């Protein structure tokens, strides 16, 4: 398995972003390689324990990304299906999912979600991806904008999207905290309620959202793009 395949497997099994960043620093090590930017221009990138230094040709404009920033960029590339090439995908076998919590804790969380969905919608929830379990969906506000609420049992968070814009993310330290604070008191009306501030945030971000990106990546893409407009990491060469 090559470096990019190992990184892809790591992202699919390790939810902790700080540990991902440390793994990336170890995987890349000290060295450098040529780099193609997404706008078609070329350059060179050096990497060491501090991060990646990009040299953009022909003006030799240099800037550095920490491994924490690189981790976010690669996460974006994976979410938007632009990290592995078609050829690399042919030779990639996804890892067997790991169990990140004791069975009893995970089972309790899933049962709470199942009970809520059966009572609210008379249907079973989809547990095929424990990082993204849809628990609420409707059209919100007078503008009929769709709102989607997802639970992440791997990363311990609840995410609320208005249209394709992330308007609220509630992060917890453990599955127990997520279960006690959120899952034991699920209320459809509260989940899909939208404030004026969230609606204003949606309109400001919806205008900026780049095409081609899935809704999970859009909000973070905008924030990173504003800080480093020319440095979207295309992948290890």
């Amino acid at each position: 398995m090559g470096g990019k395949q190992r990184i892809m497997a790591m992202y699919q099994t390790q939810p902790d972003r700080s540990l991902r960043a440390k793994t990336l620093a170890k995987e890349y090590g000290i060295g450098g390689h040529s780099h193609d930017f997404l706008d078609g221009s070329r350059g060179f990138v050096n990497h060491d324990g501090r991060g990646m230094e990009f040299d953009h040709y022909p003006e030799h404009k240099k800037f550095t990304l920490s491994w924490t920033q690189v981790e976010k960029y690669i996460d974006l590339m994976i979410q938007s299906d632009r990290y592995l090439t078609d050829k690399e995908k042919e030779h990639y076998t996804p890892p067997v999912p790991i169990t990140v919590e004791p069975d009893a804790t995970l089972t309790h969380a899933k049962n709470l979600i199942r009970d809520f969905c059966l009572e609210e919608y008379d249907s079973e929830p989809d547990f095929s991806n424990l990082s993204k379990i849809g628990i609420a969906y409707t059209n919100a506000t007078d503008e009929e904008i769709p709102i989607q609420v997802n639970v992440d049992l791997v990363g311990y968070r609840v995410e609320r999207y208005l249209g394709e814009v992330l308007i609220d993310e509630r992060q917890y330290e453990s599955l127990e905290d997520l279960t006690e604070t959120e899952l034991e008191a699920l209320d459809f009306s509260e989940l899909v309620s939208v404030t004026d501030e969230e609606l204003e945030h949606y309109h400001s971000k919806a205008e900026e959202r780049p095409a081609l990106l899935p809704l999970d990546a859009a909000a973070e893409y905008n924030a990173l793009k504003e800080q480093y407009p020319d440095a979207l990491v295309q992948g290890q060469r």
Side-chain angles (χ1 to χ4, degrees):
M1 183 181 290
K4 289 182 69 176
Q5 284 81 3
R6 286 193 298 271
I7 289 172
M8 185 72 173
M10 182 266 292
Y11 270 82
Q12 293 181 325
T13 58
Q14 176 54 264
D16 190 308
R17 285 193 147 174
S18 63
L19 293 180
R20 287 181 188 172
K22 292 178 181 179
T23 301
L24 288 172
K26 183 177 180 180
E27 177 69 42
Y28 277 85
I30 299 175
H33 55 81
S34 60
H35 181 76
D36 292 335
F37 292 90
L38 293 183
D39 63 2
S41 60
R42 293 182 59 80
F44 197 85
V45 58
N46 290 296
H47 39 85
D48 56 24
R50 296 171 298 176
M52 287 185 164
E53 181 188 65
F54 292 84
D55 186 356
H56 190 274
Y57 299 160
E59 68 275 17
H60 290 285
K61 178 182 178 181
K62 294 184 178 181
F63 46 87
T64 301
L65 300 180
S66 68
W67 288 115
T68 298
Q69 292 169 312
V70 172
E71 185 278 326
K72 292 180 179 179
Y73 276 118
I74 294 179
D75 187 36
L76 171 63
M77 298 302 293
I78 291 173
Q79 290 189 56
S80 56
D81 195 26
R82 299 166 75 177
Y83 185 64
L84 295 181
T85 65
D86 290 339
K87 185 176 181 180
E88 289 168 338
K89 291 176 185 176
E90 293 177 359
H91 301 283
Y92 176 69
T93 302
V96 177
I98 60 173
T99 301
V100 297
E101 288 289 336
D103 288 346
T105 306
L106 182 59
T107 298
H108 179 52
K110 293 170 68 175
N111 284 339
L112 289 171
I113 294 174
R114 180 180 289 108
D115 291 344
F116 171 76
C117 290
L118 288 173
E119 180 178 352
E120 194 69 40
Y121 318 113
D122 194 26
S123 64
E124 289 272 349
D126 181 2
F127 290 123
S128 61
N129 181 359
L130 294 182
S131 296
K132 186 178 179 181
I133 304 168
I135 60 170
Y137 180 87
T138 189
N139 288 326
T141 78
D142 294 337
E143 301 175 54
E144 294 294 303
I145 305 170
I147 182 169
Q148 171 79 39
V149 183
N150 301 322
V151 173
D152 182 350
L153 296 182
V154 178
Y156 320 135
R157 56 181 168 263
V158 174
E159 299 173 325
R160 298 171 62 245
Y161 291 90
L162 190 58
E164 300 182 349
V165 176
L166 179 65
I167 60 171
D168 182 30
E169 180 181 50
R170 301 194 285 268
Q171 179 70 57
Y172 296 91
E173 292 295 323
S174 67
L175 184 53
E176 290 91 339
D177 289 343
L178 170 65
T179 300
E180 180 179 351
T181 306
E182 298 282 352
L183 304 185
E184 292 183 354
L186 290 172
D187 182 277
F188 181 82
S189 297
E190 292 182 2
L191 290 171
V192 300
S193 177
V194 179
T195 66
D196 291 339
E197 290 77 11
E198 290 171 338
L199 186 59
E200 182 179 350
H201 176 73
Y202 161 77
H203 284 298
S204 66
K205 291 299 182 182
E207 295 177 357
E208 302 171 8
R209 189 184 69 84
L212 301 181
L213 289 182
L215 102 180
D216 298 301
E220 187 166 32
Y221 177 95
N222 285 316
L224 293 171
K225 187 68 173 176
E226 289 172 4
Q227 187 174 7
Y228 297 98
D230 299 314
L232 189 60
V233 173
Q234 191 166 23
Q236 187 179 3
R237 293 178 62 83

